[in-house]
Amino acid sequence: QEQLVQSGAEVKKPGASVKVSCKASGYTFTNYDINWVRQAPGQGLEWMGWMNPNSGNTGYAQKFQGRITFTRNTSINTAYMEVSSLRSEDTAVYYCAREKFELGAAIVRWFDPWGQGTLVTVAS
Amino acid sequence: QSVLTQPPSASGTPGQRVTISCSGSSSNIGRNTVNWYQQLPGTAPKLLIYGNDQRPSGVPDRFSGSKSGTSASLAISGLQSEDEADYSCAAWDDSLNGPVFGGGTKLTVL
């Protein structure tokens, strides 16, 4: 079945960087954009940006510009998200999700499936 | 502070029908379609409704979505205990050039 499997939980100190992986299986990895979404404890979902695994093109939410980097390795169907200069407010569960869309009277976009999530804890 | 506004909680008894609202603006719900995601305790979001009212295969027809103007709703009929979860709405935002989410509604089955 189509699925995304993420790397395990991380504990980092303020100022450090973290890199989370997202391995796709069950579909052609390069055919769909991968998006990254995070969820701080007790908070709602927050979109971080997207990456096209075929071209490597990326787009970042303004809030994260300059502090996050999306990359991929197409030989192993894996996408990566790196966050630098971590601070305590970055403590959250980070999800990758495949974007699908339909073109019609309007563009219909949705995320499915999602990875299981990676908890990143930033603490001194 | 989430861009889309949802009530923080909702509740119902087994068999009842409940609705969850999602309010946005002209730059998101007013111009684009709405998706709903279900998040069971301690798990990742799962697509429940896309394109305002479309159900992916495997989602029971007890779940339905609708949109009017800058608001959307998720309805769950024949409420079951396994429906106890967090429900989040989402829509593309033309101003932010990305999707925005609601803060989530925690549904309790009494």
Side-chain angles (χ1 to χ4, degrees):
Chain A
Q1 75 279 26
E2 301 170 336
Q3 64 175 351
L4 299 171
V5 178
Q6 299 181 222
S7 48
E10 303 264 11
V11 179
K12 296 291 183 180
K13 293 191 183 304
S17 297
V18 68
K19 192 170 186 177
V20 177
S21 68
C22 170
K23 183 174 177 60
S25 62
Y27 73 95
T28 302
F29 176 59
T30 50
N31 280 359
Y32 302 92
D33 289 356
I34 292 288
N35 283 247
W36 291 88
V37 177
R38 75 178 186 179
Q39 187 170 35
Q43 302 299 309
L45 299 164
E46 181 178 31
W47 179 73
M48 301 177 70
W50 60 270
M51 182 191 67
N52 181 304
N54 185 45
S55 64
N57 289 345
T58 57
Y60 303 116
Q62 189 170 14
K63 173 178 178 176
F64 301 102
Q65 289 266 6
R67 215 162 61 86
I68 62 173
T69 305
F70 301 151
T71 57
R72 90 286 191 211
N73 183 334
T74 56
S75 68
I76 55 171
N77 296 337
T78 300
Y80 302 92
M81 177 200 64
E82 184 167 19
V83 185
S84 61
S85 304
L86 286 166
R87 32 206 190 230
S88 59
E89 310 89 88
D90 294 318
T91 293
V93 177
Y94 290 77
Y95 296 102
C96 60
R98 181 185 67 174
E99 180 178 338
K100 296 194 77 174
F101 69 91
E102 288 177 353
L103 297 174
I107 300 174
V108 180
R109 293 182 172 98
W110 66 94
F111 293 161
D112 181 54
W114 294 61
Q116 84 278 18
T118 297
L119 174 62
V120 175
T121 303
V122 183
S124 53
Chain B
Q1 198 79 352
S2 300
V3 174
L4 305 181
T5 301
Q6 297 180 236
S9 63
S11 63
T13 56
Q16 239 183 355
R17 182 178 188 272
V18 298
T19 61
I20 297 172
S21 63
C22 174
S23 177
S25 68
S26 58
S27 65
N28 42 65
I29 294 179
R31 288 185 196 154
N32 299 291
T33 60
V34 177
N35 305 322
W36 289 91
Y37 298 94
Q38 178 193 56
Q39 203 167 5
L40 297 170
T43 70
K46 170 195 164 189
L47 180 67
L48 199 63
I49 298 286
Y50 69 99
N52 299 330
D53 56 10
Q54 302 300 301
R55 279 187 311 276
S57 62
V59 173
D61 58 7
R62 302 186 295 105
F63 294 91
S64 62
S66 63
K67 183 186 112 168
S68 178
T70 58
S71 295
S73 291
L74 173 70
I76 309 171
S77 60
L79 199 61
Q80 299 180 4
S81 59
E82 55 262 40
D83 297 335
E84 195 160 278
D86 286 329
Y87 294 86
S88 297
C89 57
W92 187 266
D93 191 292
D94 290 343
S95 297
L96 300 177
N97 200 26
V100 290
F101 294 88
T105 298
K106 182 176 178 59
L107 174 64
T108 301
V109 180
L110 301 169

